[in-house]
Amino acid sequence: IIGNGFDFTDAMKIVAPTLPDVQFAIVNGDSPQEPNLAVYRFDTPQTGFIAGALAALVSEKGVVGMVAGASYPHVKDAVVAYEAGAKYINPDIKVLSGYTESWSDMAKGKEMAEAMVDQGADVLSGNANQVTLAVLGVAKDKGLRAIGYIDDQNSVAPEAVASSSIQSVADLMDRMVDEAIKGEMKPVLNIVGVK
């Protein structure tokens, strides 16, 4: 049984021990549990760093912004790395970031993205599921650039999305199922990096 997201952690930790013959796994969690709860987490600092570097490469004003969803550990790691990646390319770049504390409040995401534009951002990124659609919409409407995040988001706003930093959940789930079928899934934290 796979929980696709950190939000499933508490429920899985309660249910998994009651079904010891069933293998449980969480995507982007942080707390594996004996005997049967594995966690698979993307190396979000890598993906964040790449997105930040891409943003800095296409920024003309030297100001970029990242709108994030909930302030979970793996999201915070990505935001910190986004800034590091941008500063790796341009040490003088200004990096704006904020958390909506929601994956679906598109109005809040739009408001946050517009505030970043008002502060000079000419490249936007979103690490916030549905909220990211609002961020990309702001970039498109304002004639700015965007860096897709988690998925290839060029199809959402092709005139705005310069590139995407991708974490393939589909590939990760294939790996999880394959390891479970082979009996190789262990109740540990598996960090999955760039390939």
Side-chain angles (χ1 to χ4, degrees):
I1 297 174
I2 298 173
N4 186 19
F6 185 88
D7 295 337
F8 289 94
T9 300
D10 292 342
M12 290 274 201
K13 290 188 118 192
I14 292 168
V15 174
T18 69
L19 299 165
D21 295 331
V22 176
Q23 187 63 56
F24 291 81
I26 301 172
V27 175
N28 278 335
D30 66 352
S31 302
Q33 179 177 282
E34 294 278 352
N36 59 338
L37 176 57
V39 173
Y40 291 76
R41 183 170 143 182
F42 290 104
D43 192 338
T44 52
Q46 288 182 352
T47 316
F49 186 93
I50 291 167
L54 291 169
L57 286 168
V58 298
S59 177
E60 295 176 4
K61 293 183 178 179
V63 183
V64 299
M66 166 64 86
V67 176
S71 54
Y72 294 150
H74 67 283
V75 178
K76 287 181 178 179
D77 288 349
V79 171
V80 168
Y82 181 88
E83 180 171 355
K87 289 192 176 287
Y88 178 80
I89 298 299
N90 176 1
D92 298 321
I93 200 163
K94 182 177 181 182
V95 181
L96 307 170
S97 62
Y99 298 88
T100 61
E101 296 303 339
S102 169
W103 302 112
S104 59
D105 188 342
M106 293 177 67
K108 190 168 186 178
K110 180 179 180 184
E111 178 184 322
M112 192 172 281
E114 287 175 341
M116 290 177 180
V117 172
D118 290 344
Q119 294 174 67
D122 65 345
V123 181
L124 298 172
S125 300
N127 179 5
N129 292 357
Q130 263 183 296
V131 172
T132 299
L133 298 176
V135 174
L136 296 177
V138 169
K140 176 183 170 183
D141 293 345
K142 304 271 186 188
L144 303 175
R145 303 309 303 262
I147 301 301
Y149 196 79
I150 306 298
D151 197 12
D152 181 357
Q153 294 173 325
N154 184 265
S155 63
V156 175
E159 56 282 286
V161 177
S163 187
S164 295
S165 184
I166 300 171
Q167 296 175 6
S168 175
V169 175
D171 287 350
L172 180 59
M173 286 197 182
D174 283 347
R175 174 181 166 177
M176 294 162 74
V177 170
D178 185 58
E179 288 182 9
I181 289 170
K182 292 177 178 175
E184 297 171 357
M185 186 177 277
K186 306 290 182 221
V188 298
L189 174 60
N190 298 277
I191 301 293
V192 181
V194 173
K195 61 177 184 171

